[in-house]
Amino acid sequence: MAVSDHVDFPTFMEGVKKRNPGQDEFVQAVQEVAEDIFDFIADKEEYHAQQILRRIAEPDRVVSFRVCWEDDAGNIRVQRGWRVQNNNAIGPYKGGIRFHPSVTESVLKFLAFEQTFKNALTGLPMGGGKGGSNFNPKGKSVREIMRFCQSFMTELYRHIGADVDVPAGDIGVGGREIGFMFGQYKRITNEFTGVLTGKGLEWGGSLIRTEATGYGAVYFLANMLAAKGQDLVGKTAVISGSGNVATHAAEKIVQLGGKVLTLSDSGGFIHDPDGITQDKIDWVKAHKTHRRGRIEDYCDEFKGASFTAGKTPWGVPCDVALPCATQNELLGEDAKTLVANGCIAVSEGANMPTNLEGVHHFKHAKIMFAPGKAANAGGVAVSGLEMSQNSGRRSWSEAELQQMLKDIMDGIHKSCLTYGDQGNGYIDYVKGANIAGFKKVADAMLAFGVV
Ligand code: GLU
């Protein structure tokens, strides 16, 4: 008789905390999943006997390395780089690279863990990974960013490959950085392969990859509303962030007839009661991406808008909310405020933007709440489609890709219903996403035996 791990939930979480000291974000992500999985596997002896949850919560590998580079003034700078390869049970490791001063091993472990379930939910053959560095791109020249990317890839290249691990962008890493890293990979290996996604269209990239995360989060939101016989027409939306995810989420809300009230950055948020229309979104995109400007400048450009420094936008009354900035940006109190102000649905464009208290509050209030691993999977889904196009040496049209993205988001919504429909009119999307993602990875792991 196999020894099973029929420990209770608190004992399991104690173990996770003990094995990962000081890694609060990782512990938080594991807890959010384990809360649902414990119920699901209660009567499934094989998952216990094979210690599946324990194994998924232990990354396959964490690679940590030194990244040296020279700044424009000739100073030698040293950063730390990582690649966390969490799980490749259903496909090559897949997940973005983040450059931000807040990056730690804990942050990347949480992101790689989440990515494992997110990627499984897309239905595409992708495992979960994440990488990055505590490098701060803010204020750096283009040459400095290029030198940093080249140095980062000079170590990373030996750990990745089109059938091994396929990184992409994330916070601080966009098309420009992917270009510098792809160029360095190609230079070192002398291979032109689909080793990164988010590439430029001329060199193996996919149409709609840029738009996919934000659009997907709104498609998911529209699906949740449709399940209740509603749509976005005339609904007010509060959005945080002003990067790629936030601006494309805003764009899709506007296209579907909604009114976007806010956007934000690390300095604070802008509130435009007249609505952030497409031309205003275009201005924000240009201002943040090309001019690397601050969101508060919006108020000089568009009268009637106000800027609130040092605050998140969750106090602005709205029908729907989309946190699209970063982890733990929406806290318990914010969740309470949103619900009290009449918010009926939340779709997470960022990864784990709502903290545990906030998630518990949304669940308790029984509003429609889509966790990032379901709602923001559109980005990595189109990355998966980019991988397919690279392998097949072909490219699909924009219309084909738009349809595939929509179909994938519909599919994720359906998977969430399978395990999240509580039968009393309430759909627990967190539970639905956790169980559907877990089951796929867990069943593959069972097939491989003890590895
Ligand atoms: N960084 C994105 C995410 O969090 C995209 C990852 C990818 O395309 O591999 O899902």
Side-chain angles (χ1 to χ4, degrees), residues 219-228 345-347 368-370 413 429:
Y219 289 148
F220 199 92
L221 174 62
N223 272 327
M224 292 198 295
L225 292 168
K228 297 272 170 220
V346 176
S347 183
M368 295 171 242
F369 172 64
H413 185 262
Y429 284 96

Side-chain angles (χ1 to χ4, degrees), residues 52-300:
I52 295 295
L53 188 56
R54 170 85 170 78
R55 281 156 66 184
I56 288 188
E58 190 69 40
D60 286 356
R61 186 172 302 107
V62 178
V63 184
S64 157
F65 50 95
R66 184 180 64 225
V67 187
C68 293
W69 59 285
E70 196 175 343
D71 68 20
D72 287 344
N75 302 306
I76 303 303
R77 311 282 288 261
V78 183
Q79 246 77 45
R80 190 169 296 171
W82 289 271
R83 186 70 184 165
V84 178
Q85 297 178 331
N86 192 67
N87 189 295
N88 66 353
I90 63 165
Y93 304 107
K94 179 85 196 87
I97 290 176
R98 179 177 292 192
F99 291 163
H100 193 267
S102 65
V103 166
T104 60
E105 190 175 308
S106 168
V107 167
L108 295 176
K109 276 172 69 177
F110 115 63
L111 288 164
F113 179 79
E114 286 282 295
Q115 197 84 42
T116 302
F117 304 105
K118 184 197 310 195
N119 293 1
L121 283 168
T122 65
L124 301 173
M126 300 183 287
K130 203 85 180 192
S133 173
N134 57 354
F135 173 71
N136 187 359
K138 213 182 266 175
K140 301 290 188 298
S141 72
V142 178
R143 308 299 289 178
E144 288 176 324
I145 288 175
M146 181 187 78
R147 287 196 291 275
F148 179 80
C149 288
Q150 290 179 339
S151 184
F152 185 82
M153 184 52 86
T154 301
E155 172 61 31
L156 185 68
Y157 90 95
R158 68 187 87 244
H159 308 290
I160 61 176
D163 293 317
V164 179
D165 183 353
V166 182
D170 196 81
I171 294 170
V173 177
R176 181 179 66 185
E177 290 74 21
I178 293 292
F180 292 147
M181 287 192 270
F182 187 79
Q184 184 72 350
Y185 182 88
K186 189 166 68 60
R187 178 193 198 185
I188 296 172
T189 61
N190 196 26
E191 273 183 15
F192 194 110
T193 61
V195 68
L196 294 165
T197 60
K199 300 186 289 299
L201 292 179
E202 307 78 7
W203 37 284
S206 175
L207 286 163
I208 78 157
R209 175 62 191 87
T210 314
E211 297 86 348
T213 313
Y215 280 16
V218 177
Y219 289 148
F220 199 92
L221 174 62
N223 272 327
M224 292 198 295
L225 292 168
K228 297 272 170 220
Q230 299 191 46
D231 60 29
L232 276 161
V233 178
K235 297 232 170 15
T236 51
V238 160
I239 301 181
S240 65
S242 47
N244 183 42
V245 182
T247 51
H248 289 104
E251 192 165 290
K252 189 49 79 179
I253 293 269
V254 171
Q255 287 172 12
L256 296 181
K259 185 175 180 185
V260 178
L261 298 177
T262 67
L263 287 171
S264 71
D265 65 14
S266 56
F269 74 91
I270 55 110
H271 177 198
D272 186 343
D274 298 330
I276 305 173
T277 49
Q278 185 65 53
D279 55 323
K280 295 174 179 176
I281 295 168
D282 290 341
W283 181 88
V284 174
K285 280 186 191 170
H287 193 60
K288 294 297 289 189
T289 318
H290 305 307
R291 297 192 286 276
R292 310 251 155 196
R294 307 302 302 163
I295 198 69
E296 67 172 300
D297 304 334
Y298 181 100
C299 300
D300 299 331

Side-chain angles (χ1 to χ4, degrees), residues 94 115 118-119 121-124 126 197 206 209 212-213 376-389 396 401 404-406 408-409 412:
K94 179 85 196 87
Q115 197 84 42
K118 184 197 310 195
N119 293 1
L121 283 168
T122 65
L124 301 173
M126 300 183 287
T197 60
S206 175
R209 175 62 191 87
T213 313
N376 74 37
V380 75
V382 175
S383 276
L385 300 177
E386 183 173 330
M387 288 167 72
S388 298
Q389 293 171 87
W396 287 314
L401 287 158
M404 286 188 246
L405 171 62
K406 252 177 154 297
I408 290 171
M409 296 315 293
I412 298 174

